Amino acid sequence: MTNKSKFAAIIVCGGSGSRMNSLIPKQYITISGKMVVEHTIEKFVKIPSIGKIVIVIAKDNEKYIPNISGVEVVYGGATRQESVSNGIDAIEEEDFTHILIHDGVRPFISLPLIEEIINNLNNGEEAVIAGVKVIDTIKKAKKGNVELTVNRENLYSIQTPQGFKLSTIKELHEKYKGKNYSDDSLLFEEEGRRVKIIEGDRDNYKITTPEDLKNAKRDLMSKKCNILIGQGFDVHAFEEGNHVILCGIKIPYNRKLKGHSDADVAWHALTDAILGAIGEGDIGEHFSDKDNKWKGAASIQFLQHAYMLAEERGYKINNADITIICESPKLSQYKKEMKNFTAKALGVSDSKINIKATTTEKLGYLGRNEGIASQAIVSLALTE
Ligand code: MG
């Protein structure tokens, strides 16, 4: 690596707003506490050799921007090429030797891929792009009829970032001013200059369709942290009956818990804790007490459904701690069975579950023995 190389990044977020509509553009949608473009920018901030970040935005979208610190904001032009040009103009040749150009709606760019592009530029390449091999069979069709099947062997889907030597890309943008190339490396191709392609990353997708946005929400929400924590709380009142159900265990008692389902207050708290950890709302959103389907339902269904949502996101129970609060029935002799049954319901080992029972020293509604409350806290660990 030469000591002289200095890198800047341009994050392209749109032009003059010709496609403006009433919806928030995807790059400005907040997911997991930050806008998509902020997630993208965060990656470039983490690369020490990148000394400046410029974000190119449509002037109409200025209202979304004040929250982004540490980046220089430039307005885009009528075309993508003009927008990138405006970004390049904000990078001083005295201070930087190379630039990376990246789409604001690709927040899943990996640090190693950025580093690899930088390394290639350091090794003397003038233009480096990332691409992934086309997997699907590609056919050319006209008016609903297939004309031919394209040999996909040497075909790549091109991603960003694309990295360039600053002096050359400046010169080419000047030379091809007024044109509208969709991709900056095309300028190098027009000139017959070498463009190096390196293996991209399928996770580095561009958020384009509503489906992409749905996937991005899932990926940004839950794949950020190795550990997620959630807590749950629930109360059920007593009514006439002869047993209560706690953690799936039938406990003889002179009353029962009132509820739409089996009123397993402990598992409801645990279900809410799991839903909380993965940002999936609460038990009522998933299993409405207005829905007859859940009348008298066994709460294991709620618990297992919540845990399935966590597993779909790549998480497993790290540990769960449940506290059951009541004056009676006395629970000490059932705690072990409740622990075993909860572990079994989740398919985890007993050691990951803890059950505690306590009273409120005869204070308040629980002290007056009007019902049972439960609290649960859970930690989920990323397994992928
Ligand atoms: Mg409940």
Side-chain angles (χ1 to χ4, degrees), residues 234-236 263-265 268 283:
D234 197 21
V235 182
H236 282 258
D264 188 334
V265 66
H268 290 182
I283 194 167

Side-chain angles (χ1 to χ4, degrees), residues 24-43 45-46 64 67-69 104 107 207 213 216-217 220-221 224-225:
I24 300 178
K26 294 186 181 70
Q27 58 270 33
Y28 303 118
I29 290 173
T30 295
I31 304 175
S32 196
K34 283 187 202 119
M35 290 184 288
V36 166
V37 66
E38 289 179 280
H39 288 286
T40 307
I41 288 168
E42 228 172 44
K43 300 288 177 61
V45 169
K46 284 182 183 155
Y64 300 116
N67 296 327
I68 302 178
S69 63
I207 304 173
L213 188 62
K217 280 183 180 170
L220 283 170
M221 284 294 284
K224 267 183 75 71
C225 294

Side-chain angles (χ1 to χ4, degrees), residues 117-383:
I117 288 169
I118 286 177
N119 289 341
N120 273 282
L121 293 168
N122 272 328
N123 290 337
E125 297 291 344
E126 274 196 325
V128 184
I129 64 174
V132 289
K133 283 212 155 191
V134 170
I135 301 170
D136 296 327
T137 295
I138 304 290
K139 289 186 193 286
K140 195 173 167 211
K142 209 177 194 176
K143 294 180 183 165
N145 297 315
V146 170
E147 287 189 331
L148 59 97
T149 301
V150 180
N151 180 358
R152 67 179 179 215
E153 201 184 330
N154 296 316
L155 291 183
Y156 288 84
S157 289
I158 300 308
Q159 307 182 328
T160 67
Q162 302 194 344
F164 305 103
K165 188 176 172 190
L166 181 58
S167 56
T168 317
I169 188 101
K170 258 189 197 273
E171 184 192 315
L172 294 181
H173 264 271
E174 193 55 44
K175 182 169 175 184
Y176 290 96
K177 207 176 185 143
K179 299 273 175 25
N180 185 19
Y181 290 101
S182 61
D183 169 85
D184 299 285
S185 59
L186 246 169
L187 303 177
F188 283 74
E189 290 167 51
E190 286 285 344
E191 291 285 297
R193 289 177 185 247
R194 172 179 155 85
V195 175
K196 182 168 180 181
I197 184 162
I198 64 168
E199 188 67 40
D201 179 358
R202 291 191 192 277
D203 285 342
N204 179 27
Y205 60 89
K206 186 175 181 177
I207 304 173
T208 315
T209 64
E211 174 95 272
D212 295 334
L213 188 62
K214 201 174 122 202
N215 291 338
K217 280 183 180 170
R218 183 199 61 208
D219 296 342
L220 283 170
M221 284 294 284
S222 62
K223 290 215 169 150
K224 267 183 75 71
C225 294
N226 291 328
I227 298 281
L228 300 175
I229 291 173
Q231 68 97 31
F233 176 73
D234 197 21
V235 182
H236 282 258
F238 287 128
E239 65 177 6
E240 240 176 74
N242 59 21
H243 70 273
V244 296
I245 291 175
L246 294 171
C247 294
I249 304 294
K250 195 170 169 180
I251 297 169
Y253 188 52
N254 57 15
R255 279 180 282 179
K256 77 188 251 301
L257 289 173
K258 189 178 171 183
H260 187 68
S261 65
D262 65 3
D264 188 334
V265 66
W267 273 2
H268 290 182
L270 182 58
T271 302
D272 258 352
I274 294 170
L275 292 173
I278 58 173
E280 268 290 339
D282 62 35
I283 194 167
E285 289 172 39
H286 292 267
F287 312 99
S288 168
D289 58 10
K290 309 273 182 304
D291 191 339
N292 259 337
K293 190 162 72 174
W294 308 116
K295 194 164 167 42
S299 296
I300 192 167
Q301 295 172 65
F302 309 153
L303 181 62
Q304 289 182 335
H305 176 79
Y307 193 42
M308 181 200 75
L309 294 176
E311 285 186 312
E312 273 178 7
R313 289 160 172 74
Y315 286 87
K316 294 265 183 219
I317 295 261
N318 192 42
N319 76 303
D321 186 18
I322 301 170
T323 304
I324 301 166
I325 311 158
C326 60
E327 293 298 327
S328 65
K330 291 297 166 207
L331 300 175
S332 51
Q333 61 173 308
Y334 299 104
K335 283 197 298 187
K336 190 164 182 287
E337 205 182 340
M338 287 195 267
K339 176 187 169 104
N340 294 344
F341 215 67
T342 303
K344 212 167 133 192
L346 295 168
V348 300
S349 80
D350 284 8
S351 62
K352 294 186 177 294
I353 308 294
N354 189 62
I355 310 284
K356 306 195 296 292
T358 189
T359 70
T360 58
E361 300 290 345
K362 302 214 159 33
L363 294 172
Y365 62 96
L366 296 170
R368 292 189 297 272
N369 207 23
E370 291 170 12
I372 302 180
S374 182
Q375 293 177 337
I377 191 158
V378 68
S379 79
L380 303 175
L382 191 61
T383 53

